[in-house]
């Protein structure tokens, strides 16, 4: 993944969706995806196909608005301001003071707190977990300090200014600690304990190794999946479908942010690799939404009056960013003349 610093939308050569609700009785929407996403765990598997589904389950503190392309708050009261640090051990660095929404809750009714944020960042930071892509993003976070007087407030500290500091602080999906660390293992370790410089010692810690094995397992990627989003995970039949259902008494009901909105009662993601089969099911009314189809199939459907009468056609632009990342911390590559 992630969409930090640059934004990836799903590759939609064409997107076709039903104009009318063909499933008014049970209020279900049927969506075709091209392949089995393998995992639904953004920290371990930030895959574009998986994101089509987990975006309704797992939410970050803030995300990019699809219209303005600016970061906007989801689980927090407002976007935090970057503040300079001019004293102490982090002098020359920056920090963000962040406040979670009072009404933001997990599925068991407990509030989302700084403990959940700190747990999530610890799990990413721990070299034993398979969250390497996220570790690259948060590697410049030096410390996280919870407000002792308010469990909804915390401070994220960077020892030096960093161009993507805000994104690194707020654009990470937050996990419920009570599910993903039910034994509260990581509470016994500070954020700074769980860094790559201590990797050798951490690998010898059987308690941490046990936590990492559990966290990395399929249990938390295919069976036990829970977040603060508007939909809950129901079932996954490999290479067939994944089913989500709208949460009852959802804490974010009525809020305007697109990531918090609830639509149909049920979303069924049908795994159909073959395009011809997917188009046939669309024509038959078994599929309501289809994307990532070839230009030929898109144009063929667009030219069919019956299909045009029953479906909307979209061809959104694709925003994509290609780059080469150089590890400036490498002893050799730290010399700009060598990089040149």
């Amino acid at each position: 993944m992630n969409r930090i610093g640059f934004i990836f939308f799903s590759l939609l050569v064409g997107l076709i969706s039903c104009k009318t609700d063909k499933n008014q009785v049970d209020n279900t929407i049927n969506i075709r995806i091209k392949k089995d996403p393998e995992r639904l765990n953004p920290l371990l598997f930030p895959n574009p196909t998986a994101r089509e589904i987990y975006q309704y389950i797992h939410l970050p503190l803030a995300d990019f608005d699809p219209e303005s392309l600016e970061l906007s708050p989801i689980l927090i009261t407002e976007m935090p301001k970057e503040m300079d640090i001019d004293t102490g051990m982090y002098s020359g660095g920056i920090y963000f003071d962040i406040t979670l929404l009072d009404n933001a809750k997990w599925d068991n009714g407990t509030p989302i707190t700084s403990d959940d944020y700190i747990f999530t960042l610890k799990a990413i930071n721990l070299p034993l977990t398979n969250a390497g892509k996220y570790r690259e993003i948060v590697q410049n976070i030096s410390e996280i300090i919870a407000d002792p007087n308010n469990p909804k407030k915390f401070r994220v500290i960077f020892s030096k200014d960093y161009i993507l500091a805000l994104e690194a602080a707020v654009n990470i999906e937050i996990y419920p600690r009570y599910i993903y660390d039910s034994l509260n293992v990581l509470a016994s370790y500070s954020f700074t304990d769980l860094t790559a410089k201590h990797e050798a010692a951490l690998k010898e810690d059987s308690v941490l190794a046990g936590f990492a094995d559990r966290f990395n397992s399929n249990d938390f990627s295919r069976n036990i999946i829970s977040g603060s989003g508007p939909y809950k995970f129901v079932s996954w039949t490999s290479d067939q479908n994944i089913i989500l259902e709208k949460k009852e008494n959802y804490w974010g009901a009525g809020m305007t942010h697109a990531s918090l909105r609830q639509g149909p009662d049920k979303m069924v993601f049908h795994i159909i690799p073959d395009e011809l089969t997917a188009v046939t099911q669309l024509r038959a009314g078994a599929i309501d939404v289809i994307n990532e189809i070839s230009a030929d199939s898109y144009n063929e459907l667009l030219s069919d009056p019956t299909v045009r009468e029953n479906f909307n056609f979209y061809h959104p632009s694709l925003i994509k960013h290609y780059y080469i990342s150089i590890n400036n911390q490498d002893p050799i590559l730290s010399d700009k003349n060598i990089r040149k």
Side-chain angles (χ1 to χ4, degrees):
M1 138 151 184
N2 192 1
R3 45 217 186 277
I4 300 248
F6 32 86
I7 307 162
F8 293 93
F9 290 108
S10 297
L11 176 57
L12 308 180
V13 174
L15 185 149
I16 306 168
S17 66
C18 184
K19 283 184 178 179
T20 58
D21 186 357
K22 295 181 180 179
N23 301 285
Q24 289 181 343
V25 175
D26 61 1
N27 195 18
T28 297
I29 186 168
N30 295 283
I31 304 166
R32 178 257 185 160
I33 56 176
K34 287 180 66 174
K35 59 183 179 181
D36 193 303
E38 300 180 45
R39 287 173 173 261
L40 292 179
N41 190 323
L43 296 190
L44 305 184
F45 193 69
N47 172 277
T49 300
R51 194 194 175 208
E52 289 190 47
I53 302 165
Y54 68 59
Q55 64 181 327
Y56 301 105
I57 303 171
H58 294 287
L59 297 179
L61 301 185
D63 207 347
F64 293 94
D65 182 275
E67 298 295 332
S68 68
L69 303 185
E70 298 289 336
L71 274 174
S72 59
I74 300 176
L75 301 178
I76 53 180
T77 57
E78 61 183 354
M79 295 304 302
K81 293 181 173 59
E82 179 180 311
M83 305 297 292
D84 294 330
I85 302 174
D86 52 17
T87 59
M89 65 181 297
Y90 297 120
S91 179
I94 59 172
Y95 71 87
F96 298 95
D97 282 339
I98 298 173
T99 303
L100 293 160
L101 290 173
D102 283 339
N103 60 329
K105 294 180 174 62
W106 299 117
D107 291 351
N108 68 348
T110 60
I112 301 173
T113 70
S114 58
D115 286 344
D116 298 299
Y117 180 89
I118 293 171
F119 157 71
T120 302
L121 272 292
K122 284 180 178 179
I124 294 170
N125 222 28
L126 178 62
L128 306 182
T129 65
N130 297 333
K133 291 184 178 179
Y134 273 79
R135 274 196 290 279
E136 295 174 8
I137 294 166
V138 305
Q139 64 181 335
N140 291 296
I141 296 179
S142 301
E143 184 64 278
I144 307 168
I145 302 174
D147 186 326
N149 301 313
N150 187 339
K152 290 281 187 175
K153 291 185 177 182
F154 56 94
R155 175 172 293 183
V156 182
I157 297 173
F158 294 78
S159 59
K160 59 182 179 180
D161 202 350
Y162 170 49
I163 191 171
L164 297 178
L166 177 60
E167 288 84 350
V170 302
N171 193 215
I172 300 289
E173 287 84 359
I174 304 305
Y175 282 29
R177 186 206 57 77
Y178 78 94
I179 288 180
Y180 290 86
D181 187 12
S182 58
L183 299 179
N184 209 12
V185 171
L186 297 192
S188 300
Y189 302 81
S190 71
F191 178 75
T192 54
D193 287 338
L194 306 176
T195 59
K197 67 181 180 180
H198 302 304
E199 185 170 359
L202 296 174
K203 286 181 176 179
E204 298 299 319
D205 189 323
S206 60
V207 175
L208 283 178
F211 164 82
D213 287 344
R214 172 83 166 144
F215 190 79
N216 292 334
S217 73
N218 275 340
D219 272 354
F220 288 140
S221 294
R222 296 185 70 94
N223 305 319
I224 305 169
I225 302 168
S226 182
S228 58
Y231 285 81
K232 65 180 179 180
F233 172 78
V234 176
S235 66
W236 186 342
T237 304
S238 293
D239 297 317
Q240 293 188 40
N241 60 54
I242 296 171
I243 299 175
L244 308 183
E245 286 184 355
K246 181 167 65 176
K247 292 178 181 177
E248 296 181 1
N249 302 316
Y250 180 52
W251 69 268
M255 300 184 71
T256 58
H257 197 286
S259 296
L260 297 171
R261 293 177 193 160
Q262 293 181 308
D265 293 339
K266 181 185 292 185
M267 303 174 71
V268 182
F269 294 86
H270 298 267
I271 302 162
I272 309 174
D274 181 68
E275 185 172 290
L276 178 59
T277 302
V279 170
T280 300
Q281 292 199 23
L282 180 82
R283 288 180 179 276
I287 297 295
D288 302 309
V289 179
I290 183 173
N291 63 17
E292 286 196 73
I293 64 172
S294 66
D296 287 343
S297 292
Y298 183 84
N299 289 329
E300 180 183 343
L301 290 167
L302 185 61
S303 64
D304 186 326
T306 303
V307 176
R308 280 206 316 273
E309 182 180 349
N310 293 292
F311 290 88
N312 290 310
F313 288 75
Y314 304 95
H315 38 86
S317 300
L318 172 67
I319 297 178
K320 206 164 188 177
H321 185 99
Y322 296 93
Y323 71 100
I324 296 175
S325 181
I326 297 176
N327 181 10
N328 294 345
Q329 296 179 3
D330 183 282
I332 296 176
L333 294 176
S334 62
D335 187 326
K336 70 177 180 180
N337 294 314
I338 293 177
R339 294 199 301 273
K340 289 180 179 179

